[in-house]
Amino acid sequence: MAQTEKKGGLLRKSSASKKPLKEKVVLMYDEIFMTEDPSKCNPRFWEELFLMKVNLEYLEGKLEALDGEELMKIKDNINCLFQHCIQALGEEHPIRVVNALQTLCALIRGVHQKNKSTSGFDIINMLVGFDKAELCMKNLMESLDSLLCAEGSESLKSLCLKLLLCLVTVTDNISQNTILEYVMINSIFEAILQILSSPLSRREHGYDAVVLLALLVNYRKYESVNPYIVKLSIVDDEATLNGMGLVITQALSEYNRQYKDKEEEHQSGFFSALTNMVGSMFIADADEKISVQTNEAILLALYEAVHLNRNFITVLAQSHPEMGLMTTPTSPIPVTPVTPLGTTPPSSDVISSAELPLDADGQTSNLLITFLKYSSIVMQDTKDEHRLHSGKLCLIILTCIAEDQYANAFLHDDNMNFRVNLHRMPMRHRKKAADKNLPCRPLVCAVLDLMVEFIVTHMMKEFPMDLYVRCIQIVHKLLCYQKKCRVRLHYTWRELWSALINLLKFLMSNETVLLAKHNIFTLALMVVNLFNMFITYGDTFLPTPSSYDELYYEIIRMHQNFDNLYSMVLRLSTNAGQWKEPASKVTHALVNIRAIINHFNPKIESYAAVNHISQLSEDQVLEVVRSNYDTLTLKLQDGLDQYERYSEQHKEAAFFKELVRSISINVRKNLAFNTLSQELLLKEFSTIS
Amino acid sequence: MRAEEKHSEAEERFWGAIGAGMSPQRAPIGPLFGMSPETAAVFEAHGPAAAMGDSVADPGSGGTSLSVIAEGVGELAVIDPEVAKKACEEVLEKVKLLHGACSDTAAEPAPRAAADLANGDVGDGCEIRCLDDPPGAASRIREEDEAAANTVKSARKRQKNNSAKQSWLLRLFESKLFDISMAISYLYNSKEPGVQAYIGNRLFCFRNEEVDFYLPQLLNMYIHMDEDVGDAIKPYIVHRCRQSINFSLQCALLLGAYSSDMHISTQRHSRGTKLRKLILSDELKPAHKKRELPSLSPAPDTGLSPSKRTHQRSKSDATVTISLSSNLKRTASNPKVESEEEELSSSSESLHKSCSPPVRLAPEREFIKSLIAIGKRLATLPTKEQKTQRLISELSLLNHKLPARAWLPTAGFDHHVVRVPHTQAVVLNSKDKAPYLIYVEVLECDNFDTANVPARIPENRIRSTRSAENLPECGITHEQRTGSFSTVPNYDNDDEAWSVDDIVELQVELPEIHTNSCDNISQFSVDSITSQESREPVFIAAGDIRRRLSEQLAHTPTAFRRDPEDPSAVALKEPWQEKVRRIREGSPYGHLPSWRLLSVIVKCGDDLRQELLAFQVLKQLQSIWEQERVPLWIKPYKILVISADSGMIEPVVNAVSIHQIKKQSLLSLLDYFLQEHGNYNTESFLTAQRNFVQSCAGYCLVCYLLQVKDRHNGNILLDADGHIIHIDFGFILSSSPRNLGFETSAFKLTTEFVDVMGGLNGDMFNYYKMLMLQGLIAARKHMDKVVQIVEIMQQGSQLPCFHGSSTIRNLKERFHMNMTEEQLQLLIEQMVDGSMRSITTKLYDGFQYLTNGIM
C-alpha cells in the first residue's frame, strides 16, 4: 500500500500538480464515484472510458479512500464499471482490453484495501453485485481464458496473468478470498497448462503461470474439493510437465547462480583484506550478506507438482527440453521484446535457455540436481524465518521424493551418474572442500550427502528439531528402498554413521536445554533405529562385507556415546516423569548396539592385552570384529523398515497455510502494474490501429 | 525420340546377337497372363522393335504419354519413374494386340489388364499386377517351364538356337545356375546395353534378399557407370522403392553416400542425386496408397487407438501435419500443443518446405537426424563422463517424440520405435569422436506401411492410470459448489492418492525376493518396537548377516567394475538376455507381446562405407564357407551407411573387447577363459575353446584377404561363447593406419591366442591351421564372388582402401589361384609362423598402449 501511494505521489507531482489540469480519465473516474449513473448524460461514457489511459493510482487511491458504507452508495456504478470492464475484454481493439484489464486490477485492489475485514461475500457484492456475480465472473474468466490461449500479444497475456495474480493475492489468507470460488468454477487451468507447454509463452509467462497455479492449488485446500488440485494431479502431458519443470529449474538455478556470484564476490574481497587468522570471525557475518531472497512461491509450485502429480516425478530426472532448441536456431523469434514484469524476478527471464543445461562445471543438469543445490544453499542458514520455511519445504519435497518408487528408481540408477556440487557451509573446523574432484555417482548419493551435511552443520542452540526429524526420515526412507530392492549403493556410509553419532552426542550434551523445548527421544530413537537397520539388514544393501565390519568398528569406536545415551534414557525411563514412555522406547531400541559393544569391547581389550598393544589400529580392531561375529547374537527388531508416509493434511496444514500467506503477501508486493508501461503497449498496438 | 530409338536399336543389336531371345519384359509375361508357351512363342516372333514401334505410334491409351516420356528420358528426373511403367505398358500393349489377333489363345487375365489399361490408370494398374511379386512370378515361371511339356519348350529353345549364332550367353542366363552374383558380374562387365537391359529385368526374378545384398554395388554402378547400366538398374530400384519404405531409405542413404566422392558440381546434376531426390520427395510411395491418402490425412493416427490417450500421437508424426495440429489447440483435459514442433522441424531442412503432403520417410529421417545430431554435440564435450550424461539427457528428450513412424534399418523385421531406454545408453571408447551405443525398444508389426504407430504410454504408466481412475471427476464438483459454499466431501489426496500402491507393492514383493533371508519375519508383526516384550523375541546371529552379505555378493555374476573412463565395458558385459529382461521390466511398453529390444551404435564423423564393404565381404565369405561346409566362424555385423561421415552399426551382443577384458579382469586371456568357462576339461571350456579356434581361423583369413589393419585389442571382441570378433574395418586393402609400416604380418596371432588354443603343439592349434587351409581353398574356389564385391565398389570411389592402382590385383593375388593345395598349406604355415614371430604385432600393441592406453 505504501508503495502504491508513493508512486501515486510521484505521479501527482508531475501530472496533477494543479487541480484544474485534471486528466480527462480522472474526471471520468470522478463521475463514477458519484451516485448517479455516468452514462446518463453521456451515453458513450463507457466506450470513451476504455480509450483513456488508465490512471491506476488515482482510481485505487479513490477507492481506498472510501470505506464500506460509502462504497455501498456507489455500488451500482462500481458494478457497472466492473461489468463494462469485462465487456471491454471482448473488444477487438487491444487498447481497450489493456485498459479494461488494468482498471479491473485497480478495482479489485482498491475495494479490498479498505475492506480487509469485510467478508468475502460483501466484497463480491460491492464489486460485481450478487445478482450478476455468477454470470459476470464467468464472462471474466472466459475472456481471460481466451486471451491467454489466443495467439495474441504477449504483453496482453502477461497482463491477464497479472490480473489473475492480483485477484488471487488480494487477501493475505487465500482461503478467505471468496471471489476465487468463481475461479474454481470457471477453471483457467487449461490456459495455464497451455502457457507452460509452448516454449515461447513459457519463456515469457512461465514464472507467473507457475506461481498462479501454486496459489490456486492452495485455495481452501483442506476444506473443499479444489478442482485445480484434482486437475493438476492427473496431468500427464509431458510437454506441459516438462515446461513446468523448466520454469522451476530456471528460477532455482538463477538463485543458485546469484548466490554463487555473491559468494565469490565476498570471498575475493575477504581474501585480499584478511589474513587467514581473522577470517573465521567474519564468516558468519559474510554469510548473512550472501543470503539471497529465497523463492518460496516457486518452491511451493515444485512441492505441489511433486506431491500431487506422479507424472511429474519423471520430470525431475529429465534434462531440459530447451536443450534441443539451442543448437538449432529458434525460427520464431518472439514478437515482443521480453519485458521484465513485476512478479517475475527479472533475472529468470534474462538467462538465455542456452546456458541452462550445463551448469557451471560443464555438467548436464536436471531439475533434481538444481533443486539439491538450491536446498544445500537454503538449508545452510535456518535462522531467518523465510529460510527456515524454505529449508523445511525443501526437506518436505525430498521426503515426497524419497517415498516415490519411480523417483527412487532413478535416484539409485547406476547408469545415471552425476557430479553434484552441493554448497557446504564454511565452518571453523573444516576447510571449504575443493569439490572439483567429486566422484560421479548416482543421484541418491547427493541426497545422502545433503542430509549428512545438514546433520553436521545444524547442531546449535536454536536446534531445528523439526528439520532434523525430516532429515533422518528421508535417510530412513532411502534405506528402506535400498533394502527392499537390494540396491547396494557404493556410498561412504561411514560419513553418515559418524554424523549420526555426533548428533546423538550433541543431544546428550545439551539434554537440559533441548528437553525444555523438544522431545529429543523421538529423534534419538530414529537415529538408533537407522543403526539398527544397518545392523540387522545390512546384508541386503551394504556394498561389501567390509562395510559391515566398518559399521561395527564405528559403533565400537564411539561406544561412549551409546553408553551415555543408554544411561540417560535408562535414568529417564525409570523415573515416572514426562519422558518415561519415549525414553524407554530408546532403551529397547539400543539393545543390539549394546550387545555389540558388550560383545566386542572385552574381546578387543583381551586382544590388546595378549598382544601387548596399548592402542589398536583400525585394521586390528576390524580383525577382532571379523573373527568374533559368530558368537554374537542379535535381537531382531520389528518394523525397522516401516515408515509412516508423508501426509500433508494431518501434520503440515498449518505450515502450508502460513507459507501461502507469506507467498501471497510477497507476490502482491511485487505485483507492479506500473512496470508494464502503457507506452510499450501503445507502441505495440499502434500498428494495428 | 532419339533416346527411344537408341534404346530399341540397342535392343535389336542384342537380340540379333543372341537370336530371337526373350524381350526383357516378356520373361514374366507369358506365365503371368496364363499364356501357353505357344502363345508366348508366337508373341515373341513379333520382335521387340516392332512392339516398341507399335506402342510409340499408338495414339491410344498409353501411347501419348509414352512418347512424352521417351523424349524426356535421361533428362528429367521427374519422369524417370515412368520408365518402369513404360516397360509394363509396352507389354500390355502387346497383350492387347495379341488379344485382338488371337482371342482364342489369349488367357483370361489379359482382358482384365487391358480393361485396366482402358480405364486410364495404365501405369498403376499394370504396375501392381505384373510387378507386385517378382519372386512369386519368377517361381511361377520356373514351375511352368518345368511343367510344360518338354516338347514345347525344347522346340522353342531349338528355334532360338537355330536363329542365333551364339546363344550360350542366353542359355547361361536362363539356366538355374545363373544367380544374382553372376547377374551383378555381367551387369558390371558387359558392355552390351542389351545384356545390361536384360539383366536389369532379370533382377525382378531374384528374391528380394538376394538383390538387397548387392544393393551397394547396384547403386554404385548406377551412380558411377554409364547410362546404359543406370537405365537397366533403375526400373528395379524404383519398383522396390515403391514396395518398401525401408528399401527407399537405404537407397536414398546409399545414393547420397556414394555420390559424395564426386566433384560437387557434377554431383548436383548426377543421376544418383536425382534418384535420391526422387525417393526423398516421396513420389515413389506405393501407388495404390496415393489415392487413399487425401481422405486419410486429416487424422492419420489419432482415431485409431481406443486408449484414452489417443491424442498423444507421436511428435514426429505430428510434424508432418503441422497445419492440423496448430489448429488443434487443446483438448478438455490436456492442452496439447505440439511444442516441440519447431525443435523438430527446424533441424530438418526440407520438412517445412514440403510439409503439405505427409512425407513417408520424414519421421524416420528425423529420427536418424536427431541421433546423428546428438553424436555431433557429444563430440564437443571433453570428458567421457560429460558425454555420457549429455547422451542420457538428450535421449530422454528424444523419448518425448516417440513412438514414431521410425525404425532401425539394421533390424530384420518390421517394427516401430517406441522408446529409447535412455539410462542404458553408453558412450563408446573413441579418442576424438563420440560413437555411442543405444538400446531401442520397438514393437514388432506385420507391415510397417500399414500398421499404426503405437500409442504413447507415459514413462510411469502404472501411476498415471491409477491417479486418473481414482480421482473424482471435476465436473461433479462444479455443480456441488456452485450452490453453496458449504464444505463438500473432502478429497483427501494424501491418503488416497499416495499411500496405496507403493505400500502394496512393498508387501507383495517382500516374500518372493526375500525368501532366503530372515527379514521376512518383519512382516509378521508390524507393531512398534514396544510390543516386543509381549512376544517371543527373534534372535539372529551377527555372523549370519555378514555371511549372507558376502555370499550374496559372491553370487552376483562376474560383472565389470564401473569405470567412468570406459562406460561401455559394464554395459556390454551384461548378458544380453539379462539386459532385455531388465529393460523390459522397466519399460512402460514391456508388457506388450510384440515388444523387442534392439541395439545400435551410432557413429558420426566416421565413414562407414568401408565397413559396409567389409561387411559384404565377410558375409560373402561366410556363405561360401557355409556352402563348402568349412566350420569357420565369423560374425558380419550389419552396417547402415547414413552419409559419407555417419552411420549406424549393429552391435555384437554379449561381447566385450579383449582390451576391456584385460583391463577389468587383469588376467591373461587363457585365465579369463578358465574363469568364465571353467576348467580345462569341462565341456563348457572345450566348447569355448573350439569356438575360439574356429572364429580365430575365420578372422585370420579375413584379415589376410582383406589386409585388415589396426588390429589392437580394442578392436577385437570376445563373446560369451568364446568367439572372437574383429570390429572396425577402417583400415583394409590398400590403407593402413598412418602408414607407419606397422603390422606387416598377415594377421594378428599373439601367443596369448595360441595359449587359449592349447599351445603350439596342441591339437587345437593344428585344427586351427587346418581350418585356415580349408577356408582358403574354399574362398579361392569362389574368389570371383568376393573380388567382384570389392571391384564394383571401387568405381568412382575415393575411399582410402582403394588407394593406388593395384588394390584389386593384390586382392586377387592373395587368393593364390596358381598354387597347389600343398603349396597353400605351406603358405598357411608360413603366415602363422610369421604372425607368431612377428615383432611388429607386439610393437603395435605396445604402440597402442602408449598412445591410446589400449592393453
Side-chain angles (χ1 to χ4, degrees), chain B residues 211-331:
Chain B
V211 187
D212 284 349
F213 178 76
Y214 287 100
L215 186 61
Q217 277 70 24
L218 282 174
L219 292 176
N220 204 42
M221 283 193 271
Y222 181 81
I223 296 167
H224 295 292
M225 284 174 69
D226 56 36
E227 214 150 288
D228 293 321
V229 181
D231 289 345
I233 297 168
K234 188 164 180 181
Y236 180 78
I237 300 292
V238 167
H239 165 67
R240 287 290 307 279
C241 282
R242 281 193 202 283
Q243 274 191 330
S244 154
I245 187 168
N246 190 22
F247 189 87
S248 307
L249 178 79
Q250 305 244 17
C251 280
L253 295 177
L254 286 174
L255 283 169
Y258 290 125
S259 297
S260 64
D261 281 346
M262 298 168 103
H263 191 272
I264 191 78
S265 57
T266 45
Q267 190 187 329
R268 202 171 302 139
H269 303 290
S270 78
R271 242 180 335 188
T273 315
K274 280 179 189 161
L275 182 57
R276 180 166 181 271
K277 273 191 192 139
L278 178 74
I279 295 170
L280 294 181
S281 71
D282 217 29
E283 303 247 328
L284 301 183
K285 70 170 71 101
H288 52 285
K289 276 187 193 158
K290 218 187 272 178
R291 265 175 254 135
E292 288 167 26
L293 267 168
S295 62
L296 267 178
S297 56
D301 304 292
T302 44
L304 295 161
S305 154
S307 113
K308 121 183 188 317
R309 263 173 281 280
T310 41
H311 57 278
Q312 294 230 1
R313 99 193 107 107
S314 86
K315 295 264 161 57
S316 323
D317 232 30
T319 46
V320 294
T321 50
I322 283 161
S323 51
L324 297 166
S325 59
S326 57
N327 297 334
L328 193 152
K329 264 297 164 208
R330 59 201 167 106
T331 57

Side-chain angles (χ1 to χ4, degrees), chain B residues 551-567:
Chain B
E551 273 168 16
Q552 273 164 14
L553 284 170
H555 280 187
T556 48
T558 52
F560 279 172
R561 289 184 318 275
R562 198 159 285 281
D563 178 0
E565 284 311 302
D566 186 8

Side-chain angles (χ1 to χ4, degrees), chain B residues 181 213-214 612-637 694-708 726 729 732-733 771-790 811 814-815:
Chain B
S181 162
F213 178 76
Y214 287 100
L612 180 61
L613 180 64
F615 162 77
Q616 287 190 293
V617 171
L618 258 73
K619 197 88 187 162
Q620 193 69 282
L621 285 171
Q622 192 183 37
S623 70
I624 288 170
W625 288 330
E626 195 186 347
Q627 192 187 331
E628 300 292 328
R629 296 172 200 280
V630 186
L632 287 174
W633 190 97
I634 50 174
K635 169 106 188 142
Y637 47 88
Q694 287 171 349
S695 59
C696 202
Y699 275 105
C700 282
L701 277 181
V702 167
C703 286
Y704 168 65
L705 293 174
L706 272 183
Q707 290 293 295
V708 184
H726 281 245
F729 297 93
I732 51 171
L733 299 169
L771 279 177
M772 291 242 296
L773 178 63
Q774 287 180 347
L776 188 56
I777 292 170
R780 188 169 76 157
K781 192 167 152 194
H782 300 275
M783 178 189 85
D784 288 339
K785 281 191 185 176
V786 178
V787 173
Q788 162 200 43
I789 291 172
V790 182
L811 173 64
R814 284 192 292 274
F815 285 93

Side-chain angles (χ1 to χ4, degrees), chain A residues 244-457:
Chain A
M244 195 162 162
L246 191 75
V247 172
I248 296 169
T249 316
Q250 262 171 340
L252 295 184
S253 64
E254 175 55 22
Y255 175 90
N256 294 350
R257 199 187 54 79
Q258 279 180 359
Y259 180 84
K260 205 173 179 183
D261 286 354
K262 276 205 176 176
E263 192 188 41
E264 270 163 19
E265 216 173 273
H266 277 275
Q267 271 178 351
S268 58
F270 275 108
F271 279 134
S272 56
L274 302 168
T275 56
N276 39 4
M277 274 295 287
V278 204
S280 57
M281 287 171 60
F282 283 83
I283 280 169
D285 198 29
D287 227 27
E288 266 155 50
K289 279 181 199 160
I290 288 173
S291 68
V292 184
Q293 178 70 48
T294 58
N295 200 335
E296 289 164 329
I298 224 68
L299 214 50
L300 179 69
L302 175 61
Y303 165 75
E304 297 296 356
V306 167
H307 179 234
L308 291 174
N309 189 303
R310 330 196 109 198
N311 300 309
F312 191 79
I313 294 286
T314 54
V315 173
L316 286 176
Q318 225 138 45
S319 308
H320 317 289
E322 234 82 330
M323 208 158 69
L325 273 176
M326 55 177 198
T327 41
T328 54
T330 40
S331 38
I333 296 150
V335 194
T336 50
V338 181
T339 45
L341 304 171
T343 42
T344 323
S347 38
S348 72
D349 271 347
V350 172
I351 38 167
S352 70
S353 55
E355 289 167 23
L356 253 183
L358 296 176
D359 68 3
D361 317 308
Q363 295 245 322
T364 308
S365 183
N366 58 33
L367 175 51
L368 188 66
I369 292 175
T370 310
F371 169 66
L372 286 173
K373 285 183 185 170
Y374 177 86
S375 304
S376 71
I377 297 170
V378 167
M379 292 192 317
Q380 279 183 41
D381 172 24
T382 48
K383 283 180 200 128
D384 152 47
E385 199 199 349
H386 275 286
R387 296 183 129 227
L388 184 68
H389 277 177
S390 296
K392 183 168 173 179
L393 192 49
C394 286
L395 286 171
I396 292 178
I397 295 170
L398 278 173
T399 308
C400 291
I401 291 172
E403 279 179 13
D404 187 276
Q405 286 286 308
Y406 186 87
N408 265 313
F410 71 71
L411 279 176
H412 291 89
D413 193 328
D414 225 11
N415 290 307
M416 284 176 71
N417 290 306
F418 289 95
R419 189 169 284 157
V420 184
N421 275 320
L422 299 174
H423 285 262
R424 286 165 202 277
M425 188 143 61
M427 292 211 304
R428 244 148 278 170
H429 58 275
R430 64 172 189 187
K431 273 188 240 164
K432 195 154 165 48
D435 329 86
K436 283 300 162 221
N437 44 11
L438 263 177
C440 213
R441 296 170 302 171
L443 280 168
V444 69
C445 295
V447 179
L448 287 169
D449 277 351
L450 182 64
M451 296 302 106
V452 170
E453 180 68 14
F454 180 86
I455 296 172
V456 175
T457 52

Side-chain angles (χ1 to χ4, degrees), chain A residues 27 56 176 290 408 562 564 615:
Chain A
L27 291 172
L56 282 169
Q176 281 170 7
I290 288 173
N408 265 313
F562 292 106
N564 292 345
Q615 200 75 45

